Amino acid sequence: MCFQIAPAQTKKNPKNEFNVLNAKYHSGKLSAQDYFVKADSVVHLLFSEGTHIETKELVDLLSLYEQIAWSNNEYHRARISYYYLFFNNARMFKKKGASMYYAEKITVAYKEYGEGHPLIEQLQKSKIYQEQRLYDKIVDLFKTEKEYLESLPGLLQKDSVDESVGLNALYILSPVLTGYIEMNDATSVRQIAFLAREIGVAIRAKYPITRPQMLYTDMLMIDIELSLANFERRYIDTKNLLNQMEGLKVTYKDQATNFIDINLVRLRMENYLNLRNVDSLQAYIIRYETSPNFGKGQAADLAEFKAKLQALKGNYAQAYTHLTDALKHEQDVQASLTTELSDLLYAYTQAEHSSIALEKSEKVKQQRTFWLVLISAAATAIILGIYLIMVYRSKKAKEQLEALNDTANMQIIALEEAKYQAVRDEQQRLGQDLHDGLSSSIAAIRHQLETLLLDIDDDSLKSKMTMIKAETENAYRAARSKSHEWFNAGDKQLEQSFEKQIKQLTDNSLPDSRYNKTIHIDDDSLLHVGVDNRITLLRIIQEAITNIIKHAKAKSVAILIYEEEDKLILTINDDGIGLGDVKQKNGKSTMGLNSIRRRVESLGGKTEIHSDTKGTEIAVCIPIL
């Protein structure tokens, strides 16, 4: 049996229901776990009343549910329940593609927590096959899962699987049982019924579980027994089982049980037909047709019962008319299901094979689908081509801008170096003038004072002249010291300028958020290096940094400059992946290294490169002239 839920009007406003629930959670009146239970109940109640909620609307309603569920790993069960709500919404209202999508989401959620086989995808496939009356497909699906299904009673008893997995198994076994009944395979019918009883008993042993799970378990257990009783033509037992099903409405009066009514009416019609009770059958046909839950999907079913009623009465002409109506409604349903399966092609890949098998006879539709795919592929290729052209042009423009920026940067560096060189030259000139002019004059005055002291006999005057001589010596030492200071300050400033340029270069290209940087330039190591050579050194450092960014995947970069005898040493280190794999994958990566070698050779120096999986070191040695 397939439980039916038909669309119906409801006075409940889903948004208002959740606004009240959300307010209670935010005010602290509901814990997270209580919120999940209440939210599940509200959604299930809406479903049972036939309220179809669009996916976007359901996402909005469950936004707080999702936020809480993903805030803590201990709520992983709520994450599974979250996807179940979307699955049930799609499944109950015939959105097969969406239901398969959410079934896959549920499977993934289970696997994340070590529960790898929830049977949810198999459940929905069996539902689709049942609506198409492809009982051989249902049986084939059962056979692929038979070993696992037969192990479930034991797994449930050991608490190795969740009770929801057992409930999914019952949902699968119900159409499987119908399939074997259609095949008139009595042995398999009884085996499936026995397995379903075992699983049901194992689930019931876990009571109390969630009330909705208990309701659906009891409903499915009665459904299994109903199918078996009808197969064995025990129609009085069937009547008693239907009374038990109606009793569930009392047992679970705290739950939404509206869906039981529409199923009960149909099952009682089938029972009265089997008992050949014309009056009761006629009464229930009227009740079925006038039910507020009656929809177009039940039209073929109703027409078939009307035909059988007229046949019981001996009115075969009217029976024929109703059968014709039933056939027309059935064809409409099949056409609708075929369309749904076409939608499913795009939602779930595995369903594609089933859909193709079902639609082999529709050659025209297959051709349309082929041309649609071909046109889509061509359009995709054209769009991809345009995209690649745009990417190429964007890349070329980016390269041009980078080249322009590099040129501008180096020109700025050259101007900065020239400025500091001019300042250095002026300071050294002033120092030289101070040394050659003022210092020399003071030295001459000091010498004359020393000569005068030799000729003075007056002690008082001699004492004063000695003091003047001492002050003159102090002035001489100050002037001489200042001249040396000015002369050397220009070199110091030029060296500091170069270190500033290196830091600016690395700060722009190697952000602190991604790289650990160490830059050290020894004092006086660049005193004898000219402007042109300094710019060449900056180019070498720039090329090395470019290689690090593009290929090294490094986290740390170190730049060291020091003087060793009559040579300037520059080393650049990184902790990246090394050059071995890069050279094999991309020959262009060596162009940067060759550029470094050529620049070093232009300065009369040598380059050594050491690289392994722990990183790369570039060592440059340049003679100081």
Side-chain angles (χ1 to χ4, degrees):
M1 182 189 80
C2 175
F3 297 143
Q4 301 175 27
I5 295 184
Q9 297 296 322
T10 176
K11 295 181 181 180
K12 294 187 181 298
N13 185 311
K15 192 167 184 60
N16 290 343
E17 293 287 315
F18 271 91
N19 284 342
V20 172
L21 198 60
N22 294 350
K24 288 183 179 180
Y25 173 78
H26 287 305
S27 66
K29 294 180 180 179
L30 284 178
S31 66
Q33 295 292 359
D34 289 338
Y35 177 85
F36 295 141
V37 172
K38 295 286 186 183
D40 285 345
S41 296
V42 169
V43 176
H44 283 299
L45 178 60
L46 294 169
F47 289 165
S48 72
E49 293 176 338
T51 305
H52 179 215
I53 307 173
E54 294 296 333
T55 301
K56 185 179 183 305
E57 183 184 0
L58 191 55
V59 169
D60 292 338
L61 293 175
L62 296 176
S63 59
L64 180 60
Y65 192 114
E66 180 185 16
Q67 178 184 336
I68 302 170
W70 269 266
S71 67
N72 193 318
N73 283 337
E74 72 179 55
Y75 301 144
H76 69 272
R77 289 286 176 193
R79 300 177 189 181
I80 295 171
S81 297
Y82 175 81
Y83 287 125
Y84 260 117
L85 294 175
F86 285 91
F87 170 74
N88 287 329
N89 185 46
R91 181 171 177 258
M92 290 178 176
F93 299 97
K94 313 298 183 183
K95 303 293 184 181
K96 293 182 176 58
S99 66
M100 289 303 298
Y101 170 79
Y102 287 114
E104 189 177 60
K105 285 284 190 182
I106 293 168
T107 300
V108 171
Y110 269 107
K111 287 181 178 178
E112 286 179 357
Y113 300 99
E115 298 179 16
H117 205 46
L119 295 173
I120 190 69
E121 294 175 68
Q122 292 79 2
L123 181 160
Q124 185 58 7
K125 284 182 185 179
S126 64
K127 163 80 170 175
I128 294 170
Y129 292 148
Q130 185 178 24
E131 290 183 0
Q132 288 286 314
R133 299 183 182 179
L134 296 173
Y135 298 113
D136 57 333
K137 294 286 187 182
I138 296 174
V139 170
D140 288 343
L141 180 64
F142 164 71
K143 288 178 179 178
T144 61
E145 303 296 339
K146 182 178 180 182
E147 183 177 349
Y148 180 68
L149 288 167
E150 289 177 343
S151 70
L152 276 179
L155 294 174
L156 286 164
Q157 290 171 4
K158 297 175 184 177
D159 282 330
S160 298
V161 297
D162 189 70
E163 54 272 7
S164 62
V165 178
L167 185 56
N168 291 343
L170 291 179
Y171 273 115
I172 292 170
L173 291 176
S174 178
V176 171
L177 185 64
T178 303
Y180 279 122
I181 288 173
E182 290 293 325
M183 296 176 182
N184 202 28
D185 185 342
T187 301
S188 296
V189 167
R190 292 181 175 86
Q191 287 176 347
I192 296 301
F194 180 77
L195 176 58
R197 287 192 197 107
E198 283 191 310
I199 293 173
V201 168
I203 297 174
R204 284 172 169 170
K206 292 174 170 283
Y207 285 8
I209 51 178
T210 67
R211 295 287 286 170
Q213 286 181 327
M214 292 168 64
L215 168 59
Y216 292 127
T217 299
D218 290 348
M219 184 78 173
L220 283 165
M221 290 298 293
I222 295 172
D223 173 55
I224 296 289
E225 296 299 333
L226 274 171
S227 296
L228 183 61
N230 281 329
F231 177 69
E232 295 176 344
R233 303 190 179 188
R234 294 183 282 108
Y235 302 131
I236 300 301
D237 290 344
T238 299
K239 186 176 181 179
N240 293 332
L241 288 166
L242 291 173
N243 292 336
Q244 290 180 30
M245 185 178 289
E246 190 156 13
L248 294 178
K249 294 166 60 180
V250 177
T251 304
Y252 294 99
K253 60 184 178 182
D254 59 319
Q255 297 296 307
T257 57
N258 308 45
F259 70 96
I260 293 178
D261 290 325
I262 188 68
N263 290 288
L264 265 174
V265 172
R266 192 215 174 278
L267 289 168
R268 288 195 185 280
M269 284 194 299
E270 184 177 345
N271 183 238
Y272 287 129
L273 177 63
N274 290 328
L275 291 170
R276 306 181 70 81
N277 187 330
V278 174
D279 293 337
S280 296
L281 175 59
Q282 185 166 332
Y284 269 89
I285 286 176
I286 295 171
R287 184 173 174 182
Y288 189 52
E289 190 171 17
T290 57
S291 168
N293 291 324
F294 182 80
K296 292 181 179 179
Q298 289 83 46
D301 201 30
L302 178 65
E304 187 175 350
F305 274 110
K306 285 182 176 180
K308 291 176 179 178
L309 173 63
Q310 294 304 322
L312 283 178
K313 290 181 176 181
N315 299 328
Y316 298 110
Q318 291 186 38
Y320 176 79
T321 301
H322 288 304
L323 279 177
T324 303
D325 289 341
L327 181 60
K328 183 180 180 302
H329 289 306
E330 186 70 23
Q331 288 172 342
D332 291 342
V333 170
Q334 290 296 321
S336 175
L337 289 172
T338 299
T339 301
E340 289 174 14
L341 281 176
S342 295
D343 295 337
L344 188 58
L345 286 172
Y346 300 92
Y348 195 75
T349 304
Q350 289 185 357
E352 182 177 7
H353 301 286
S354 301
S355 182
I356 291 172
L358 295 175
E359 300 175 6
K360 288 188 297 185
S361 61
E362 299 184 22
K363 300 296 183 182
V364 175
K365 187 171 182 178
Q366 286 184 355
Q367 289 176 356
R368 289 176 182 173
T369 303
F370 169 77
W371 282 110
L372 178 62
V373 171
L374 188 62
I375 292 169
S376 299
T380 302
I382 292 170
I383 293 170
L384 181 60
I386 294 171
Y387 172 75
L388 291 175
I389 291 170
M390 292 175 65
V391 169
Y392 174 76
R393 290 178 178 174
S394 175
K395 182 179 179 182
K396 295 297 290 184
K398 185 178 179 181
E399 289 174 352
Q400 290 172 344
L401 287 173
E402 287 178 349
L404 180 62
N405 289 335
D406 287 345
T407 302
N409 289 337
M410 295 314 296
Q411 287 175 345
I412 292 169
I413 290 171
L415 288 173
E416 290 284 336
E417 291 293 326
K419 181 185 76 173
Y420 285 117
Q421 182 69 38
V423 172
R424 171 180 175 272
D425 292 344
E426 182 61 19
Q427 285 182 323
Q428 289 183 341
R429 185 186 66 75
L430 289 172
Q432 190 68 48
D433 289 348
L434 184 62
H435 181 273
D436 296 342
L438 183 59
S439 296
S440 298
S441 298
I442 294 174
I445 293 170
R446 185 186 67 178
H447 179 69
Q448 290 177 7
L449 287 172
E450 288 176 349
T451 303
L452 287 173
L453 280 171
L454 294 174
D455 296 334
I456 295 174
D457 294 328
D458 186 333
D459 291 338
S460 175
L461 181 59
K462 189 172 185 177
S463 174
K464 292 178 180 179
M465 291 298 290
T466 301
M467 290 175 63
I468 293 172
K469 175 179 174 291
E471 290 299 323
T472 302
E473 287 178 347
N474 289 337
Y476 173 76
R477 282 194 296 272
R480 186 176 177 83
S481 173
K482 182 58 69 176
S483 69
H484 286 292
E485 180 183 338
W486 283 0
F487 193 85
N488 293 326
D491 289 330
K492 288 287 187 182
Q493 192 170 19
L494 196 59
E495 183 171 355
Q496 291 169 0
S497 166
F498 187 75
E499 185 170 355
K500 176 184 174 184
Q501 297 297 344
I502 293 176
K503 288 183 177 179
Q504 182 178 350
L505 184 66
T506 56
D507 286 344
N508 289 340
S509 54
L510 302 173
D512 293 338
S513 60
R514 291 182 56 192
Y515 296 92
N516 297 318
K517 294 173 291 188
T518 303
I519 300 172
H520 181 75
I521 300 177
D522 277 3
D523 294 340
D524 303 331
S525 61
L526 295 167
L527 290 179
H528 305 295
V529 179
V531 173
D532 291 339
N533 289 355
R534 290 169 187 253
I535 293 175
T536 301
L537 285 173
L538 281 172
R539 285 288 193 188
I540 291 169
I541 294 170
Q542 183 186 33
E543 198 69 61
I545 290 174
T546 300
N547 271 357
I548 291 170
I549 293 170
K550 288 184 176 180
H551 309 298
K553 299 181 181 178
K555 295 182 180 178
S556 298
V557 178
I559 300 174
L560 173 63
I561 298 177
Y562 62 94
E563 184 179 350
E564 189 176 271
E565 297 179 351
D566 58 346
K567 298 176 182 177
L568 182 71
I569 308 299
L570 164 66
T571 64
I572 304 168
N573 293 276
D574 68 71
D575 62 350
I577 62 175
L579 297 174
D581 291 340
V582 174
K583 287 181 180 179
Q584 293 174 9
K585 294 177 182 177
N586 185 6
K588 294 182 180 180
S589 65
T590 59
M591 292 175 63
L593 300 178
N594 291 334
S595 176
I596 291 173
R597 289 191 177 94
R598 284 196 299 271
R599 293 184 189 277
V600 173
E601 288 172 0
S602 72
L603 300 179
K606 295 181 179 179
T607 305
E608 292 185 3
I609 300 175
H610 305 284
S611 182
D612 56 29
T613 55
K614 295 181 180 179
T616 300
E617 179 184 75
I618 299 175
V620 172
C621 177
I622 300 172
I624 300 176
L625 303 177

